[in-house]
């Protein structure tokens, strides 16, 4: 080979080598980045080129797919009773991507997950159309219906858990929205999405999982647990040395009770929980001190920003920098204390489960399109905020609240129910309507199958008529009845 030809051959060889290096770089290094690039329209086209797999509740699909003539997209997502299930499913939109379970399990639902490679290969060889897999949830349809209908026109949220496993049974948020209204790419669906974004009531916000509220007196259950666990109180029926009113430490500020409750002076833990004495629990918080109160709250899940259900929950908060009077206020659910409805359901579930807190989860199985199980969730213990003995003492006190205290609206004949009301004041000089809370659990001879937290953020009720026992407890009762099939 003469010299010019040899140079051309070497140059061509270098070009081929560069091409091979580039192809392999794109294929094996940049593939994921390019696939997830928001400007890569091929990903969206492929996502909606086949019927999307379903999200399942109680063996039935709460989602679906329909054919569409929207440009390049062949299929569009549909939802059954979308408003009720939106806090669980999230949405899958041809234009606005996806969120919650639709987003987290997009690979399973579109059939593109690596674990479906064998199934997809068999389908390709047999000429079968590719379809998505299934996400099987832990939700209880009747409990969800009771929670959603119980909220009705009121703004608020409900979370219900099986205390023995951590399985989420209900997750309702109101007001809500129908994901079907924003699933496609029509002009009307675009307008619907913009309206939802601008709505001051934030219907797309998942209040049950992501929103934090002042927990008010429901936090007294955490304070009571801390008092028992740290040995400040051993006998829940023994009188305390609490004055009424109680002067916050290092201040001249009186901490009063909400209404005349003569039994709050020197009240026992049981009596203080029954009528919800601010004075007793404020003094317990100050006597315990910040570190012990925070330590117990953390065991219940507070200050943990990585609670994944698998959708990540909002971070519930107890201040780690508060002084003594602030600790007293935190002990009654004020100051900077904030909690999601899921968090307060976790508190109740741990008490009902003899002190053992299970990791909350809402996906039971992932299935291939041929219904083979490719992933199964196993219940996991998250922590032990209480000893069994102390948990049973607290159960006894919470059951007194429902039997003859502020939570009688949650009674269910023939069933043992424990609970705690809360009316969380907010705004300057309490100028805004308070949050109405109720947390509860039901027990049978076989244990507790359900723990519930309800918060009513706003309603048409007059301010004086807003209370946890009046607004939130009846919703919790309906959810517990649905799980118990009563």
């Amino acid at each position: 080979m003469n010299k010019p030809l040899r140079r051309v051959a070497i140059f061509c060889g270098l070009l081929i080598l560069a091409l091979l290096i580039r192809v392999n770089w794109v294929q094996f290094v940049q593939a994921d980045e390019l696939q997830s690039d928001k400007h890569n329209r091929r990903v969206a086209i492929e996502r909606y080129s086949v019927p999307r797999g379903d999200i399942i509740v109680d063996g039935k699909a709460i989602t679906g797919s329909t054919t569409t003539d929207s440009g390049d997209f062949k299929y569009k997502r549909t939802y059954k009773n979308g408003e009720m299930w939106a806090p669980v499913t999230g949405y899958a939109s041809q234009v606005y991507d996806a969120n919650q379970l639709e987003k987290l399990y997009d690979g399973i639902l579109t059939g593109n997950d690596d674990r479906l490679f064998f199934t997809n290969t068999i389908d390709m060889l047999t000429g079968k159309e590719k379809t998505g897999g299934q996400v099987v949830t832990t939700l209880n349809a009747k409990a969800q219906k009771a929670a959603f209908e119980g909220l009705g026109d009121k703004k608020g949220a409900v979370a219900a858990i099986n205390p023995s496993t951590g399985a989420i049974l209900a997750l309702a948020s109101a007001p809500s929205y129908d994901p079907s209204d924003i699933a496609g790419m029509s002009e009307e669906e675009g307008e619907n999405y913009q309206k939802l974004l601008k709505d001051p009531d934030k219907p797309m916000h998942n209040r049950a999982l992501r929103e934090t509220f002042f927990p008010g007196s429901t936090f007294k259950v955490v304070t009571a647990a801390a008092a028992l666990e740290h040995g400040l109180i051993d006998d829940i029926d023994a009188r305390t040395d609490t004055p009424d009113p109680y002067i916050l430490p290092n201040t001249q500020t009186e901490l009063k009770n909400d209404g005349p409750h003569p039994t709050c002076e020197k009240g026992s833990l049981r009596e203080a929980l029954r009528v919800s004495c601010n004075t007793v629990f404020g003094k317990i918080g100050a006597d315990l001190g910040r570190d012990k109160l925070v330590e117990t709250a953390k065991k219940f899940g507070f200050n943990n920003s990585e609670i994944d259900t698998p959708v990540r929950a909002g971070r519930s908060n107890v201040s780690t920098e508060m002084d003594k009077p602030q600790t007293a206020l935190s002990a009654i659910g004020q100051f900077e204390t904030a909690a999601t409805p899921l968090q307060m359901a976790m508190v109740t579930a741990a008490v009902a489960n003899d002190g053992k807190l299970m990791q909350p989860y809402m996906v039971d199985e992932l299935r291939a399109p041929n219904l083979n199980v490719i992933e199964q969730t196993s219940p996991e213990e998250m922590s032990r905020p209480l000893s069994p003995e102390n948990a049973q003492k607290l159960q006894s006190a919470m059951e007194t609240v429902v039997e003859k205290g502020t939570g009688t609206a949650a009674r269910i004949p023939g069933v043992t129910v424990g609970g705690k009301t809360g009316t969380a004041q907010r705004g300057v000089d309490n100028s805004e309507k308070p949050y109405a809370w109720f947390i509860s659990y039901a027990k049978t001879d076989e244990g507790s199958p359900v723990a519930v937290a309800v918060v009513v953020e706003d309603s048409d009720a007059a301010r004086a008529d807003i209370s946890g026992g009046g607004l939130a407890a009846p919703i919790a009762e309906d959810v517990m009845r649905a799980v118990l099939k009563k």
Side-chain angles (χ1 to χ4, degrees):
M1 183 181 294
N2 60 39
K3 194 171 182 178
L5 283 176
R6 187 166 61 248
R7 288 177 175 173
V8 170
I10 291 172
F11 179 70
C12 290
L14 290 173
L15 289 178
I16 293 171
L17 179 62
L19 181 62
L20 288 173
I21 291 173
R22 179 60 180 166
V23 167
N24 280 278
W25 178 264
V26 170
Q27 183 73 27
F28 297 105
V29 179
Q30 290 187 302
D32 290 342
E33 181 184 343
L34 292 172
Q35 196 168 24
S36 59
D37 192 308
K38 63 181 181 181
H39 300 298
N40 185 356
R41 186 169 168 75
R42 292 181 180 177
V43 175
I45 293 172
E46 184 188 5
R47 176 183 288 166
Y48 294 104
S49 65
V50 299
R52 196 171 172 85
D54 283 318
I55 297 173
I56 307 295
V57 174
D58 286 345
K60 298 178 180 177
I62 58 173
T63 56
S65 292
T66 184
T67 55
T68 176
D69 55 359
S70 302
D72 301 326
F73 301 118
K74 188 175 180 181
Y75 291 94
K76 183 174 81 169
R77 193 51 143 171
T78 60
Y79 297 85
K80 299 169 185 173
N81 205 345
E83 281 190 277
M84 186 172 86
W85 291 111
V88 177
T89 61
Y91 63 81
S93 165
Q94 293 175 344
V95 178
Y96 307 109
D97 198 14
N99 70 354
Q100 300 191 69
L101 293 187
E102 291 277 29
K103 178 71 170 181
L104 288 174
Y105 294 107
D106 188 64
I108 294 292
L109 295 168
T110 58
N112 291 327
D113 190 280
D114 291 343
R115 289 169 289 182
L116 300 178
F117 174 78
F118 182 73
T119 303
N120 290 338
T121 302
I122 295 297
D123 289 346
M124 184 178 66
L125 293 174
T126 58
K128 187 177 178 182
E129 184 183 27
K130 178 185 172 185
T131 57
Q134 292 183 342
V135 176
V136 182
T137 74
T138 61
L139 276 294
N140 178 313
K142 290 184 178 177
Q144 181 76 5
K145 186 171 186 284
F148 186 68
E149 292 184 352
L151 288 171
D153 295 333
K154 297 181 280 292
K155 193 188 301 182
V158 179
I161 295 176
N162 181 332
S164 64
T165 64
I168 294 175
L169 304 173
L171 206 63
S173 180
S176 187
Y177 70 104
D178 188 347
S180 297
D181 293 342
I182 58 172
M185 54 187 303
S186 68
E187 184 176 341
E188 180 183 0
E189 284 160 316
E191 291 173 356
N192 290 339
Y193 185 73
Q194 293 305 319
K195 284 181 183 176
L196 289 171
L197 290 182
K198 295 174 183 175
D199 191 325
D201 288 334
K202 300 179 181 177
M204 296 180 74
H205 203 74
N206 190 336
R207 289 176 163 81
L209 204 59
R210 299 286 308 165
E211 184 86 31
T212 58
F213 304 86
F214 299 123
S217 294
T218 57
F219 190 79
K220 291 171 182 172
V221 172
V222 177
T223 303
L228 291 166
E229 282 297 296
H230 289 284
L232 184 67
I233 292 177
D234 180 56
D235 182 355
I236 63 170
D237 292 309
R239 300 187 75 185
T240 63
D241 60 352
T242 311
D244 184 10
Y246 169 63
I247 307 297
L248 291 174
N250 309 322
T251 74
Q252 299 298 317
T253 304
E254 289 184 347
L255 180 63
K256 299 178 180 177
N257 294 306
D258 187 15
H261 296 301
T263 55
C264 286
E265 185 172 0
K266 300 184 184 301
S268 67
L269 188 68
R270 185 193 299 275
E271 183 63 15
L273 207 65
R274 186 182 76 82
V275 297
S276 201
C277 301
N278 291 334
T279 48
V280 174
F281 284 99
K283 187 173 187 301
I284 287 175
D287 291 348
L288 273 174
R290 177 189 62 202
D291 293 345
K292 290 178 180 177
L293 184 64
V294 171
E295 178 189 326
T296 298
K298 282 184 173 180
K299 289 182 180 177
F300 278 110
F302 282 83
N303 295 1
N304 185 343
S305 57
E306 296 182 353
I307 296 177
D308 295 328
T309 68
V311 178
R312 179 156 291 185
R315 182 183 187 273
S316 299
N317 182 70
V318 174
S319 173
T320 57
E321 299 178 349
M322 52 194 174
D323 59 21
K324 202 161 186 176
Q326 291 167 344
T327 303
L329 292 174
S330 294
I332 59 172
Q334 296 183 11
F335 188 50
E336 294 179 352
T337 309
T340 63
L342 177 73
Q343 173 62 76
M344 294 315 297
M346 290 165 61
V347 169
T348 320
V351 174
N353 196 34
D354 286 346
K356 186 192 298 184
L357 176 62
M358 303 300 290
Q359 174 74 33
Y361 67 100
M362 63 170 141
V363 173
D364 185 36
E365 290 179 352
L366 300 180
R367 293 177 182 166
N370 61 8
L371 302 186
N372 285 340
V373 176
I374 58 176
E375 186 177 314
Q376 173 84 52
T377 303
S378 298
E380 293 181 11
E381 182 178 326
M382 186 172 169
S383 63
R384 295 210 179 201
L386 283 161
S387 69
E389 295 77 16
N390 287 334
Q392 287 158 16
K393 290 178 183 176
L394 197 44
Q395 287 173 22
S396 176
M398 290 178 70
E399 287 157 19
T400 301
V401 172
V402 174
E403 288 166 9
K404 49 187 177 182
T406 56
T408 53
R411 285 178 186 161
I412 301 175
V415 178
T416 300
V417 176
K420 181 70 191 81
T421 54
T423 307
Q425 299 170 339
R426 61 192 179 113
V428 178
D429 295 329
N430 305 323
S431 55
E432 298 181 44
K433 285 185 176 180
Y435 299 139
W437 277 92
F438 191 70
I439 59 174
S440 64
Y441 62 83
K443 279 198 309 191
T444 68
D445 293 339
E446 298 173 352
S448 173
V450 58
V452 190
V454 178
V455 60
V456 176
E457 183 181 349
D458 200 1
S459 73
D460 293 333
R463 192 178 188 288
D465 295 331
I466 295 175
S467 68
L471 287 180
I475 300 173
E477 182 206 355
D478 287 344
V479 174
M480 290 188 289
R481 281 181 180 274
V483 175
L484 295 167
K485 300 178 181 176
K486 288 284 185 179

